[in-house]
C-alpha cells in the first residue's frame, strides 16, 4: 500500500466530510460547512492534510495556528486503513510544519469517552491536561 499525504484543498471537501461522518469520535457542527472549511483552509494554508490511497481519501485532519499555539481538529482514518501508521504520519507531518512556522505547542480536543483516540494521542506524544477545563461561549447560532 502506498498512501500519499498531501495538503487538503477545498476540492477534497465532499470526500473528507464523508470520512468524518463515517468516523465515530468526530463531532461535526455548522463550523464544518463547506464555507467554514474553505475559510479555515485559507487562514491556515498547507497545514490541514489528507491521506490518499489510490485516489481515495482514507485520512484527514484539520490543523491551524493563531500565531501562538497550534490546534488540531477532526483527525480521522478510514476503518479499513487503521493501525497502519497513517494517523501517526498525519500528526508528525502537521507538527513538523507547525514547528517550521515557529509554533512550539499544539492543542486538541477529544471526547472524554473516546478511549481509543486518547490512547492514540498518548502514543504520538500528547499529554492529557488534567488541570484545565474547556469552556465555550455560543456567540451566534
Ligand atoms: C484515532 C485514529 C485517527 C488513529 O489512526 P490510525 O491510523 O489507526 O493510528 P496509527 O496506526 O498511526 O497508530 C499510532 C499508534 O496509536 C496506536 N493506536 C491507534 N489506534 C488505537 C486504538 N484504537 N487503541 C489503542 N491504540 C491505538 C497504535 O497502536 C500506534 O501505536 P504504536 O506506534 O505504539 O504501534 C483512528 O482510530 C480514527 O480515525 N478513529 C476515529 C476518529 C477519531 O476518534 N478521531 C480522533 C478525534 S480527537
Amino acid at each position: 500500500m502506498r498512501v500519499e499525504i498531501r495538503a487538503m484543498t477545498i476540492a477534497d471537501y465532499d470526500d473528507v466530510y464523508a470520512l468524518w461522518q463515517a468516523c465515530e469520535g468526530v463531532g461535526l457542527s455548522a463550523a464544518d460547512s463547506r464555507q467554514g472549511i474553505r475559510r479555515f483552509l485559507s487562514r491556515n494554508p498547507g497545514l490541514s492534510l489528507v491521506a490518499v490511497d489510490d485516489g481515495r481519501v482514507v485520512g484527514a485532519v484539520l490543523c491551524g495556528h493563531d500565531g501562538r499555539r497550534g490546534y488540531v481538529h477532526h483527525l480521522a482514518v478510514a476503518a479499513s486503513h487503521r493501525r497502519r501508521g497513517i494517523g501517526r504520519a498525519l500528526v508528525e507531518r502537521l507538527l513538523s510544519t507547525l514547528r517550521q512556522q515557529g509554533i512550539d505547542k499544539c492543542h486538541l480536543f477529544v471526547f472524554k469517552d473516546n478511549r481509543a483516540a486518547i490512547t492514540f494521542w498518548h502514543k504520538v506524544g500528547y499529554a492529557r491536561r488534567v488541570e484545565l477545563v474547556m469552556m465555550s461561549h455560543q456567540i451566534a447560532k
Side-chain angles (χ1 to χ4, degrees):
M1 181 189 72
R2 179 81 186 94
V3 173
E4 178 205 2
I5 292 180
R6 61 163 173 78
M8 185 190 297
T9 74
I10 196 61
D12 296 312
Y13 179 80
D14 289 337
D15 291 340
V16 168
Y17 196 83
L19 174 64
W20 286 336
Q21 282 184 308
C23 287
E24 71 291 356
V26 175
L28 295 171
S29 73
D32 302 305
S33 66
R34 188 182 303 273
Q35 184 188 352
I37 297 301
R38 180 180 284 113
R39 185 162 73 153
F40 187 86
L41 296 179
S42 68
R43 286 170 61 96
N44 301 282
L47 274 165
S48 297
L49 303 169
V50 288
V52 181
D53 182 13
D54 199 17
R56 177 183 160 213
V57 171
V58 295
V61 64
L62 293 178
C63 177
H65 72 76
D66 55 18
R68 184 173 175 278
R69 297 302 191 208
Y71 296 88
V72 178
H73 308 277
H74 297 357
L75 172 67
V77 173
S80 57
H81 284 66
R82 289 183 193 161
R83 308 298 278 262
R84 301 188 200 179
I86 295 172
R88 179 187 287 279
L90 288 165
V91 172
E92 286 178 352
R93 167 110 162 234
L94 66 84
L95 292 178
S96 159
T97 308
L98 286 172
R99 200 176 301 118
Q100 286 164 18
Q101 297 188 15
I103 303 298
D104 60 13
K105 191 176 277 189
C106 183
H107 301 305
L108 63 89
F109 310 102
V110 50
F111 289 112
K112 248 184 187 169
D113 60 358
N114 192 349
R115 297 176 65 87
I118 292 169
T119 301
F120 166 84
W121 287 114
H122 276 296
K123 292 261 185 173
V124 299
Y126 273 75
R128 190 170 183 152
R129 297 294 297 270
V130 291
E131 79 281 27
L132 295 178
V133 171
M134 181 184 171
M135 298 182 71
S136 305
H137 195 303
Q138 186 74 40
I139 300 169
K141 289 279 180 220

